[in-house]
Amino acid sequence: MVAGVALVPNWSAGAAVVDDPTVDAATKATFQKLADAVFTDRTQALVGGTTQSAPQQRTHRFSGDVRMSGTQTRAEKSALTELRGRKDRLAKLGEQYSAGSTSVKLDATQVKGRRATVDVTETTSLTYKKVEANQPKTTGFQAHHELTFKADREGNWQLTDVKDTDDGYLAVNQVAKPEVAKPATAADDGPPDAPKAATTRPAPANPKNMTASGYDYKAMVAYATKYWNNYNTEYPDFNGEGAGGDCTNFVSQSLKAGGWKHVPGSTDDFHKWFGTKDIQSDSFIGVNEFSWFALSSKRVTPLANVFQADIGDVIQMDFNKDGSKDHSMIVTKRDAQGVPYVTYHSTNTYNRSVASLVASYPTAAFYAYRT
C-alpha cells in the first residue's frame, strides 16, 4: 500500500506456510477451532455480545491439549478492551452492529518439531443495527493470519502468536499496530499536495452531480462490488510480502471501469496513468503517485471533509501523518444521513463506513477526492 517500495506483482498469491501432509485432520481442526474462537471474540467485542476465553482443545494425533499461552491471553484481553472502546466511539458516531458472524478456514499447517505454524483465512460479516433508507445492511471482510503454536515435552500445544499477514490492518475487528515514521517521498518536479480532509461529522452535504463529469459512477461501484474479494485476473495482484499492496491498483481498476481513460507514457511519470495485465504506471498502483496524477490532471477535486465523499469518490489515509499516504479506497455507498461507505483491497473489505474508519484510526490523516 505504501508508495516508494518496489511494487512487484504477486503472481502466485497463497499461503506462506507450506502445508505438512503428515498432520492429521483432527489436529488441523483443533488449531482451526482455537483460531475461530479468537477471531469470533474480537467480532463479538464490537457487537456487544458475549466473549469467552478461547477453549482448550484436545488433539487426536498429538497428546496433550491446545490453549493460548499466558502472554497471548494477555494480548487478546488487551485487544478486546481496545475493540470495546472502538465500539463506544462508533456508537457516538451513530454506528452500531446488531450481529456479527466469523468463520475461519485453515489454509495450511506446518509442524517442525515442537513448533506449528498455521495460515488461516478469516471471513467476518457485521450487520448494521439501524438500517434506514439507502443504507447497506451489512459490511464484511476477509483477512489472513498466521498463527504460531509451541508444544511442551508432554505434547501440550499453546498458541503463542497471531500475526496479520495482509498488506494492511484495516479490518474493523483488528487492532492497529504502531506505525514507524517514514521519510516523505517527493518527485523532482514537485508533485501537488492534497489538502487533508476534516473528519468531524458535518451536516449532510448536497448529493453529488452524477452526470456532470461524464463518468459512470454506477459502473465503478459495480466493478468494486464484483471484485472486492474475487480479484480480476486481467490485472496483477499486488498483495503478498514485498509486493506493496493492491489497494490503489483496485481503486484504479474501478475508476477505469467507470470511464477513466489511459494516459500512456513512462511508468514513473506521475502525469501518466495506465494499467493492464502486463504493465502499470506507478500512478495506477502507487498511493502517493495516484494522488499526484489525479490532482495534476484535474480528474479530481479535493473535498474539505471526508464525510462529503459520494459514490465513485476516492478516500486515502496516512496512518502516522508522516506526509506519505498509505492506503486508497473507493466509495461504494452513501446513506441518507450523509455517511459514505468504502470498499477496498488489503484487507479485502466491502461497504465499511467512514465513521468506522475515523473511530478506528483517530490519529490518521484523511484525504478525500471528488472524481
Side-chain angles (χ1 to χ4, degrees), residues 79-365:
L80 295 178
T81 298
E82 180 169 336
L83 289 171
R84 292 186 185 103
R86 184 176 301 172
K87 177 177 72 70
D88 294 339
R89 292 194 297 274
L90 279 167
K92 292 178 181 178
L93 291 168
E95 181 167 316
Q96 293 177 298
Y97 308 116
S98 62
S101 64
T102 293
S103 63
V104 173
K105 174 181 172 291
L106 187 144
D107 298 315
T109 302
Q110 189 174 50
V111 177
K112 292 184 178 180
R114 301 183 186 277
R115 177 187 173 93
T117 311
V118 179
D119 272 356
V120 300
T121 298
E122 171 200 0
T123 302
T124 290
S125 178
L126 291 161
T127 302
Y128 291 113
K129 188 172 184 178
K130 296 180 180 179
V131 180
E132 300 180 21
N134 201 37
Q135 288 181 320
K137 294 181 180 179
T138 62
T139 181
F141 63 88
Q142 277 196 336
H144 301 88
H145 313 280
E146 182 178 286
L147 282 63
T148 301
F149 297 85
K150 293 182 180 179
D152 60 23
R153 294 184 180 278
E154 286 71 40
N156 296 309
W157 290 87
Q158 290 189 343
L159 174 63
T160 59
D161 186 51
V162 177
K163 182 173 70 173
D164 303 323
T165 57
D166 292 309
D167 286 306
Y169 37 86
L170 285 171
V172 68
N173 72 348
Q174 288 177 304
V175 178
K177 307 161 196 169
E179 287 282 340
V180 178
K182 311 177 294 298
T185 58
D188 293 337
D189 56 351
D193 289 328
K196 295 182 178 66
T199 56
T200 52
R201 181 82 174 269
N206 293 330
K208 177 179 181 179
N209 186 331
M210 297 297 172
T211 60
S213 69
Y215 298 129
D216 188 342
Y217 297 110
K218 290 184 179 179
M220 295 177 186
V221 172
Y223 184 95
T225 301
K226 181 177 181 179
Y227 291 110
W228 76 270
N229 191 36
N230 181 24
Y231 285 29
N232 187 349
T233 56
E234 292 302 310
Y235 295 92
D237 172 3
F238 288 95
N239 280 321
E241 185 175 357
D246 200 63
C247 61
T248 307
N249 185 32
F250 174 67
V251 167
S252 291
Q253 292 171 37
S254 301
L255 295 172
K256 183 178 170 182
W260 275 37
K261 302 300 183 184
H262 282 176
V263 182
S266 174
T267 58
D268 61 359
D269 182 353
F270 72 80
H271 298 97
K272 311 303 180 183
W273 182 87
F274 53 90
T276 67
K277 188 172 186 176
D278 300 316
I279 188 170
Q280 309 81 34
S281 64
D282 291 349
S283 60
F284 198 90
I285 58 179
V287 183
N288 291 289
E289 291 89 341
F290 173 87
S291 175
W292 300 339
F293 167 78
L295 290 169
S296 63
S297 65
K298 308 298 184 183
R299 288 194 181 182
V300 302
T301 303
L303 294 171
N305 192 297
V306 71
F307 283 95
Q308 294 173 340
D310 209 327
I311 67 168
D313 291 341
V314 175
I315 294 175
Q316 294 186 316
M317 294 176 64
D318 174 4
F319 295 123
N320 57 353
K321 293 184 178 178
D322 67 350
S324 180
K325 301 171 189 67
D326 301 296
H327 188 57
S328 302
M329 302 162 282
I330 188 165
V331 178
T332 48
K333 192 81 173 177
R334 180 180 170 88
D335 67 25
Q337 287 66 47
V339 176
Y341 295 76
V342 293
T343 296
Y344 52 85
H345 280 182
S346 312
T347 302
N348 303 334
T349 298
Y350 70 94
N351 281 348
R352 181 173 182 181
S353 76
V354 166
S356 168
L357 289 170
V358 171
S360 300
Y361 297 90
T363 62

